Amino acid sequence: MNIRDIAKKAGVSSATVSRVINESGYVKEETRQKVLAAIEEAGFVPNAIARSLSIRDSSSIGVIVPDIANEFFSSIISGMGEAASGSQYSIVLFDTGEMQEREHQCLQIAESQRLSGLLITPVSELDMETRDKLIQFESKGIPVVLVDRNMKNSNMDGVFVENDAAAYQGVEALIRAGHRKIAIIKGPSTSMPGKDRFKGYKAALRDHGIALKKEYMVSGDFKIIKAYEQTKALLELPDPPTAIFASNNQTSLGVLKYLTEQKLKIGRDISMVGFDQIESLKIIDYRLSTIERDAKRQGYEAMALLINKLSRKESKSSGRKIFVPFQVVLRGSETIK
Amino acid sequence: MNIRDIAKKAGVSSATVSRVINESGYVKEETRQKVLAAIEEAGFVPNAIARSLSIRDSSSIGVIVPDIANEFFSSIISGMGEAASGSQYSIVLFDTGEMQEREHQCLQIAESQRLSGLLITPVSELDMETRDKLIQFESKGIPVVLVDRNMKNSNMDGVFVENDAAAYQGVEALIRAGHRKIAIIKGPSTSMPGKDRFKGYKAALRDHGIALKKEYMVSGDFKIIKAYEQTKALLELPDPPTAIFASNNQTSLGVLKYLTEQKLKIGRDISMVGFDQIESLKIIDYRLSTIERDAKRQGYEAMALLINKLSRKESKSSGRKIFVPFQVVLRGSETIK
DNA sequence: ATCATATATGTAACCGGTTACATAAAGGAG
DNA sequence: CTCCTTTATGTAACCGGTTACATATATGAT
């Protein structure tokens, strides 16, 4: 069943059927009704694939995230969905699992699927292959918007948060609470947020005359397990830190997992500040101080920006950076009783 | 740039290029190399849309969920992604926000996009329009797998949990802990899990000789706000319940939100058991007793089943129901000290 | 040497839409 | 009444792949 069949049924040409469906061009009302009746009777649904091929646009937007199971990204996606609903665009979802190789595969697929646009949280800001591909996308007319993570030397548009300033303020809260021995469980040094949050940490210590201590700056990967192990390692140091700065929500959870197992309580035995809220902990008033932002809104903004670029047929990025506001919410875990 | 251009470059026909790309049919090794070289040189990526149109299959699977921001569904999707990675299939994501109307729109789009298969958590088990559409999909050769929520009179394959038995055991735990005044904040009566969990609740009370009390059985919608309000209402009853059964994770959060605001502690001032775990609460050893299951696995199973049906070109459902195991994990909130 | 089979490649129709272009009738201005 | 513009519709090429079918050569068995 295709438009030619419908055309035959309605006694018109396929062009007219197409015009009726798309409400384009001139069609006499009487003809329109005949066509609509034929469509209705046949239960005809036009083939979007054929349409895509013809107009050279898939009307689909690729969303590439590193981990959907992370509530930050599921909120981001939720916001994107909201911004896209009502538009013509569908969302094609890819989960890279923080693996560069998978990211490359996803980009490959995105390219072959002729996606109309791309929203991506790249695994690494240094990945030349990903960067080149994204630049290539834009030069082919496929706009790209970075989500939460920038790419080095790319000038790509994106929606971010001011990671350094936010981390700075978070660490400063620990210092104000009297801490001098402050550790950080870093994010991947290859990711922009990981790096910038670390930068903010260092700047805060420097500005308050606290020497950086190598043992207190341990690497992480934005995942629970690693953070758990690093917390253990930190607390087993001969001179352990009295406070920990966690670089993202998963890191916070890893820290909390270890502390909980050891029956250590935040705000009593040890202090901490985490980056990104954890909704259910807020609900039970668990006193974890975090740097917060509206993830849903961030996703919404990213999608809105992309759709805006699409509607203006503007594929080239111009280094537009939207920053969503953040807030340092102190709930007590930055202190020690 | 299309295969005909590549064909020209390599001095062969488009059919040969197609054969090389798909590794189908006979191609002399020497020719193959020439073609591959031409593809490489041109940076050619075949157009999946054209391919889809030609082979009449989009190689995309539609995933329709009611709320991605709910960690249960984001875990489900994560599992689906894992099961699909390595296959040829992409995921097209739809979020209905628990709204039937949006679900219908999504199905409409899914149909026009000629998706290869569908994984859906329908908003309501009674929605005739959705049901008919799904049946129609299957008769058109598009297999469907239901995820976590069944549809009435449909015989559709699906991956579920034994909601009644699980709820029964959860409520039984409250009874064993000595409770007689047990309330339930129900799920939507139009959703299978909502109904079956309520069924389990009633059966447990009945089997233990406890009369059902109308005021204790309040409606909910699987969302935080409503659960919050209902908790307030329940506790303001002249004769308030001593225990609450929450029908899903969002409901639990709504209950906890109110209790926390009132400085009431579970396992001390009031008891409760919730359906579905809340990961971060587990990490901090928050003593909320819940009925648990592996959501990621459930998503994985659903996707695996769908891909299996697709590979066997078996679009008709045969009422196959996979049940993922559940576990009642008692952490103390079912008691009162 | 003959014929069957396996290997290799090209031609062209087809998937189901869109749309440039052609054609024609109707409406309105002068 | 003529000419121009607006309205209405059809024809056919095109988007970029796939594949049935035709054709041709190589291989090998008898």
Side-chain angles (χ1 to χ4, degrees):
Chain A
M1 183 68 59
N2 58 38
I3 57 168
R4 273 168 258 262
D5 297 322
I6 298 296
K8 209 164 287 172
K9 259 178 120 71
V12 299
S13 76
S14 65
T16 299
V17 176
S18 177
R19 287 186 194 108
V20 170
I21 292 172
N22 298 296
E23 302 186 7
S24 63
Y26 295 113
V27 181
K28 210 201 291 176
E29 179 57 24
E30 189 194 323
T31 313
R32 207 175 79 88
Q33 291 305 334
K34 271 195 301 184
V35 172
L36 288 177
I39 289 176
E40 175 72 19
E41 194 199 314
F44 171 69
V45 177
N47 185 323
I49 296 173
R51 171 162 219 276
S52 292
L53 178 61
S54 186
I55 66 175
R56 256 144 300 186
D57 183 295
S58 66
S59 292
S60 300
I61 288 173
V63 172
I64 304 183
V65 295
D67 180 17
I68 321 175
N70 179 335
E71 76 175 84
F72 173 67
F73 291 110
S74 58
S75 297
I76 285 258
I77 295 172
S78 174
M80 289 174 176
E82 242 168 63
S85 87
S87 82
Q88 60 190 305
Y89 297 104
S90 296
I91 289 178
V92 181
L93 183 68
F94 302 91
D95 186 346
T96 62
E98 296 282 11
M99 292 179 287
Q100 299 196 22
E101 200 196 346
R102 244 210 250 157
E103 183 170 283
H104 300 154
Q105 288 167 12
C106 294
L107 288 170
Q108 184 72 20
I109 296 172
E111 189 175 7
S112 72
Q113 306 224 112
R114 301 297 193 266
L115 296 178
S116 310
L118 205 59
L119 293 165
I120 178 173
T121 302
V123 172
S124 158
E125 65 163 352
L126 304 172
D127 190 323
M128 305 279 281
E129 195 172 330
T130 291
R131 190 203 55 188
D132 292 349
K133 201 78 170 182
L134 295 181
I135 292 174
Q136 189 192 320
F137 272 34
E138 294 217 319
S139 63
K140 275 192 187 173
I142 300 166
V144 175
V145 170
L146 297 172
V147 179
D148 201 53
R149 298 189 191 165
N150 207 345
M151 288 243 70
K152 204 130 194 173
N153 311 320
S154 76
N155 200 43
M156 211 83 65
D157 294 342
V159 182
F160 312 105
V161 69
E162 297 203 63
N163 289 297
D164 33 15
Y168 186 100
Q169 291 179 33
V171 173
E172 205 172 34
L174 290 168
I175 297 171
R176 288 227 182 86
H179 289 284
R180 308 286 292 177
K181 299 194 236 173
I182 303 171
I184 180 175
I185 299 177
K186 298 186 282 180
S189 58
T190 52
S191 99
M192 194 265 260
K195 240 174 53 178
D196 283 359
R197 289 170 199 177
F198 183 39
K199 227 183 265 176
Y201 162 88
K202 287 187 292 189
L205 293 193
R206 182 183 9 84
D207 289 356
H208 287 80
I210 301 174
L212 298 180
K213 201 165 160 184
K214 217 173 156 193
E215 305 92 83
Y216 287 173
M217 306 181 297
V218 301
S219 63
D221 56 5
F222 282 164
K223 290 185 181 170
I224 293 179
I225 305 286
K226 185 70 176 283
Y228 171 87
E229 292 163 357
Q230 292 290 34
T231 306
K232 179 168 155 61
L234 281 171
L235 297 190
E236 285 173 352
L237 284 175
D239 182 23
T242 58
I244 298 178
F245 180 76
S247 290
N248 83 332
N249 57 0
Q250 303 296 295
T251 305
S252 296
L253 288 170
V255 173
L256 291 175
K257 188 173 159 66
Y258 183 73
L259 296 182
T260 302
E261 277 183 23
Q262 299 298 310
K263 306 233 184 296
L264 296 172
K265 287 198 75 167
I266 55 174
R268 188 189 71 186
D269 310 308
I270 188 163
S271 297
M272 78 176 281
V273 167
F275 207 111
D276 282 336
Q277 65 267 44
I278 297 165
E279 288 301 333
S280 41
L281 297 189
K282 287 168 69 173
I283 284 178
I284 61 162
D285 196 28
Y286 186 80
R287 305 200 158 279
L288 173 65
S289 300
T290 50
I291 292 154
E292 313 202 342
R293 61 183 141 154
D294 191 337
K296 213 159 185 164
R297 173 170 164 194
Q298 196 172 347
Y300 190 98
E301 299 272 6
M303 179 61 87
L305 172 55
L306 183 63
I307 290 180
N308 184 275
K309 287 171 79 170
L310 282 165
S311 71
R312 295 192 293 144
K313 298 190 186 319
E314 167 196 320
S315 72
K316 284 273 168 40
S317 275
S318 49
R320 208 167 345 178
K321 298 200 179 337
I322 295 177
F323 288 95
V324 295
F326 67 86
Q327 224 183 330
V328 181
V329 183
L330 300 180
R331 300 191 174 86
S333 75
E334 74 283 3
T335 66
I336 284 192
K337 255 184 227 144
Chain B
M1 182 68 58
N2 57 37
I3 58 168
R4 273 168 258 262
D5 298 322
I6 298 296
K8 209 165 286 174
K9 257 178 122 73
V12 298
S13 76
S14 65
T16 298
V17 176
S18 178
R19 288 185 193 109
V20 170
I21 291 171
N22 298 295
E23 303 186 7
S24 64
Y26 294 115
V27 180
K28 211 202 289 176
E29 178 57 24
E30 190 192 324
T31 312
R32 208 176 77 89
Q33 290 306 332
K34 270 194 303 187
V35 172
L36 289 177
I39 289 176
E40 175 72 20
E41 194 199 315
F44 171 68
V45 178
N47 184 322
I49 296 173
R51 173 162 217 278
S52 291
L53 177 60
S54 186
I55 66 175
R56 258 143 300 185
D57 182 291
S58 66
S59 293
S60 299
I61 288 172
V63 172
I64 304 183
V65 296
D67 179 17
I68 322 176
N70 179 335
E71 75 175 84
F72 173 67
F73 291 110
S74 59
S75 296
I76 286 258
I77 294 172
S78 173
M80 289 174 175
E82 241 166 64
S85 86
S87 83
Q88 61 190 304
Y89 296 104
S90 295
I91 288 177
V92 181
L93 183 68
F94 302 93
D95 187 346
T96 62
E98 296 281 11
M99 293 178 286
Q100 298 196 23
E101 199 196 347
R102 247 213 246 156
E103 184 172 282
H104 300 154
Q105 289 168 10
C106 294
L107 289 170
Q108 184 71 18
I109 297 172
E111 188 176 7
S112 73
Q113 307 224 111
R114 302 294 194 267
L115 297 178
S116 310
L118 204 60
L119 293 166
I120 179 172
T121 301
V123 172
S124 157
E125 66 163 351
L126 304 172
D127 189 322
M128 305 279 280
E129 193 171 331
T130 291
R131 190 204 54 187
D132 292 348
K133 201 81 171 180
L134 295 181
I135 292 173
Q136 189 191 321
F137 273 34
E138 293 216 321
S139 63
K140 275 191 187 173
I142 300 166
V144 175
V145 170
L146 296 172
V147 178
D148 202 54
R149 299 188 191 166
N150 206 346
M151 288 242 73
K152 205 132 195 172
N153 312 319
S154 77
N155 199 42
M156 211 83 64
D157 295 342
V159 182
F160 312 105
V161 69
E162 296 203 63
N163 289 297
D164 34 14
Y168 186 100
Q169 291 180 33
V171 173
E172 204 172 35
L174 290 168
I175 299 172
R176 288 227 181 85
H179 290 285
R180 309 285 293 176
K181 301 195 236 174
I182 303 170
I184 180 175
I185 298 176
K186 297 187 282 181
S189 58
T190 52
S191 98
M192 193 264 262
K195 241 175 51 180
D196 284 359
R197 289 170 198 175
F198 183 38
K199 226 182 268 175
Y201 162 88
K202 287 186 292 189
L205 293 192
R206 180 183 11 84
D207 290 356
H208 287 81
I210 302 174
L212 298 180
K213 201 167 162 184
K214 217 173 157 193
E215 306 92 84
Y216 287 172
M217 306 183 297
V218 300
S219 64
D221 56 5
F222 282 165
K223 289 184 181 172
I224 292 179
I225 305 288
K226 185 72 174 283
Y228 171 87
E229 292 163 358
Q230 293 290 33
T231 306
K232 178 168 156 61
L234 282 171
L235 297 189
E236 284 173 353
L237 283 175
D239 182 24
T242 58
I244 298 178
F245 180 76
S247 290
N248 83 332
N249 58 0
Q250 304 294 296
T251 305
S252 296
L253 287 171
V255 173
L256 291 175
K257 188 173 158 68
Y258 184 73
L259 296 182
T260 301
E261 277 183 23
Q262 299 298 312
K263 305 232 184 297
L264 296 171
K265 286 197 75 169
I266 55 173
R268 189 190 70 187
D269 309 308
I270 188 163
S271 296
M272 78 175 282
V273 167
F275 207 112
D276 282 335
Q277 66 267 41
I278 297 165
E279 287 301 333
S280 40
L281 297 190
K282 287 168 69 173
I283 284 178
I284 60 162
D285 197 26
Y286 186 78
R287 304 200 159 279
L288 172 65
S289 300
T290 51
I291 292 154
E292 313 203 342
R293 60 184 143 154
D294 190 336
K296 213 160 184 164
R297 175 170 162 194
Q298 195 173 348
Y300 190 98
E301 299 272 6
M303 180 61 87
L305 172 56
L306 182 63
I307 290 180
N308 184 276
K309 288 171 81 170
L310 282 165
S311 71
R312 294 191 294 144
K313 298 191 187 319
E314 168 197 321
S315 72
K316 284 273 169 36
S317 275
S318 49
R320 209 168 345 181
K321 300 202 177 334
I322 295 178
F323 287 95
V324 295
F326 68 85
Q327 224 183 329
V328 181
V329 184
L330 299 180
R331 300 193 174 85
S333 75
E334 75 283 3
T335 66
I336 284 192
K337 254 184 231 145

